[in-house]
Amino acid sequence: VVLDNINLENLKSLPVIDLQTAKIVEGKLIFDEGCSVYQAMTDGFFYLKIPENINLESGYKFCRNFYKNKNNSKEDPYKGFKNFKKDDLCQGYFDNEYDQWEQFFLISHNWKRFLPIELNMLGIKLEKLGIDILKSILETIGVPQSYWKKGTGGLTEYLGFTFLGFSHFRSQKKGLRGSKFHRDLGWITILASNKPGLVTILNDTIFAINPKDNYFIINFGSTMEVFTQKTNTPIRANVHGVISINNSTEEDDRVSFVTLFDSNFKENVYQYQDNQLFFIETMQEFVDREIERTYSYNNKL
């Protein structure tokens, strides 16, 4: 399945998925009346009410500036990241030749050093929010707490890898998809997006996932899918992508940012079944394959 032929105009003709809604109350994930966590696990997505103490302004400002050169303006702390050195932890600036997708990723132990102070503080709040969600999901599906640290590669103890990822979809790259269809690596993703363009495939049908005012879009990643596959409540990491954006000005380009929650790359991937953890492969092997699937030109899912 390719995204090349979907744009903002024919996006309007796609069915819109009606996602479950939830909120965090005292560190616990609570689904609203009439909504089901189990339906969210099947959909692979749900809406989460943005907590009152979280302000997204610095995140969107970074999305609109990280790829620009510094020019002695008040927004300089948000600029100049295009030449950030990449490393084997998937950090740095990325501009995929096959997509409009232009991205910058940074792991949590580098936020304070490189990011503006407001954005570092936002990242800290988002990291706690995501780990609270993860713990609630593990509790819901009945995984004993004694397995959490090993099973999640240290993530529940803040020993995993949490990334902030910022996306700018460059409309001047004409004729390219926004992004390919892919599954997110990791356990969960917190997505902040205020413009349409995100789509997913459910039951062989392409659905639009539209932004909802004052809500994050949460989706489950491939590590979560592997971990829960043999349980009574398997969780889907459904494929999704972004349509081609064809704006007339850069100011109208689509931007979004995510918080990604991964096991420590030095740990292993496990599957939970019958109150046991079964080794699948090393996390590094898993990461290498999933990254290739996400960014290659082919349409392999």
Side-chain angles (χ1 to χ4, degrees):
V1 181
V2 294
L3 281 164
D4 304 57
N5 298 321
I6 306 177
N7 54 41
L8 279 174
E9 191 58 37
N10 54 31
L11 176 69
K12 299 174 183 177
S13 65
L14 295 180
V16 177
I17 186 170
D18 185 21
L19 296 179
Q20 309 295 293
T21 58
K23 55 184 171 291
I24 287 287
V25 180
E26 296 180 352
K28 297 290 186 181
L29 180 64
I30 307 295
F31 277 77
D32 295 339
E33 185 176 354
C35 294
S36 166
V37 62
Y38 301 105
Q39 184 61 51
M41 292 175 182
T42 299
D43 293 339
F45 299 87
F46 63 92
Y47 291 120
L48 182 80
K49 185 75 173 178
I50 299 175
E52 292 183 357
N53 70 331
I54 290 182
N55 185 318
L56 304 180
E57 182 179 356
S58 60
Y60 284 121
K61 184 187 291 188
F62 194 88
C63 289
R64 293 189 294 268
N65 287 283
F66 72 88
Y67 54 90
K68 298 176 181 178
N69 294 323
K70 293 181 182 292
N71 59 353
N72 295 316
S73 71
K74 64 179 181 180
E75 293 181 335
D76 266 12
Y78 293 81
K79 298 178 178 179
F81 290 87
K82 197 168 185 176
N83 296 319
F84 191 96
K85 185 178 180 181
K86 302 183 183 68
D87 66 12
D88 58 359
L89 295 181
C90 306
Q91 295 185 103
Y93 172 86
F94 298 85
D95 185 12
N96 196 314
E97 63 181 302
Y98 309 119
D99 305 305
Q100 294 178 327
W101 220 353
E102 181 178 32
Q103 298 174 290
F104 180 80
F105 293 97
L106 198 66
I107 199 169
S108 57
H109 62 245
N110 281 328
W111 294 346
K112 185 176 182 180
R113 179 182 176 189
F114 294 106
L115 298 181
I117 186 170
E118 300 90 347
L119 189 51
N120 173 50
M121 296 305 296
L122 173 59
I124 291 170
K125 292 177 181 179
L126 291 172
E127 182 174 42
K128 182 182 185 306
L129 180 66
I131 290 178
D132 284 346
I133 295 170
L134 175 59
K135 289 178 177 179
S136 291
I137 293 294
L138 294 174
E139 188 173 21
T140 297
I141 64 179
V143 180
Q145 192 167 342
S146 58
Y147 287 162
W148 290 4
K149 180 179 179 181
K150 180 178 180 180
T152 66
L155 184 56
T156 55
E157 310 304 314
Y158 292 81
L159 299 173
F161 287 169
T162 304
F163 291 87
L164 284 173
F166 305 89
S167 296
H168 167 226
F169 295 89
R170 298 168 59 191
S171 58
Q172 66 267 37
K173 296 173 74 174
K174 304 294 184 184
L176 299 182
R177 61 199 180 191
S179 77
K180 71 175 288 187
F181 273 116
H182 63 280
R183 296 177 179 88
D184 283 358
L185 174 67
W187 293 87
I188 63 169
T189 299
I190 300 175
L191 168 65
S193 175
N194 55 17
K195 286 190 176 183
L198 180 66
V199 295
T200 187
I201 304 173
L202 291 174
N203 301 319
D204 297 322
T205 300
I206 298 178
F207 288 87
I209 302 180
N210 289 335
K212 183 177 176 67
D213 287 344
N214 299 315
Y215 281 82
F216 290 119
I217 298 171
I218 309 295
N219 65 277
F220 299 110
S222 52
T223 315
M224 177 75 86
E225 181 173 273
V226 170
F227 185 80
T228 63
Q229 191 172 18
K230 297 295 180 64
T231 69
N232 294 327
T233 51
I235 297 175
R236 292 281 300 277
N238 275 329
V239 296
H240 55 281
V242 174
I243 64 169
S244 178
I245 308 296
N246 297 302
N247 300 315
S248 56
T249 65
E250 181 180 308
E251 287 71 24
D252 293 326
D253 283 352
R254 186 180 190 274
V255 298
S256 63
F257 65 97
V258 295
T259 316
L260 303 168
F261 296 84
D262 293 318
S263 302
N264 190 301
F265 291 177
K266 295 180 180 179
E267 300 295 334
N268 300 315
V269 177
Y270 294 95
Q271 194 163 76
Y272 179 73
Q273 183 182 10
D274 299 329
N275 202 34
Q276 296 182 69
L277 293 176
F278 293 91
F279 171 81
I280 300 298
E281 62 184 327
T282 69
M283 186 62 188
Q284 191 62 60
E285 291 171 332
F286 189 72
V287 167
D288 291 343
R289 184 177 63 254
E290 293 298 303
I291 292 295
E292 192 278 332
R293 286 179 176 176
T294 301
Y295 294 103
S296 67
Y297 181 69
N298 68 50
N299 290 301
K300 182 179 180 181
L301 301 175

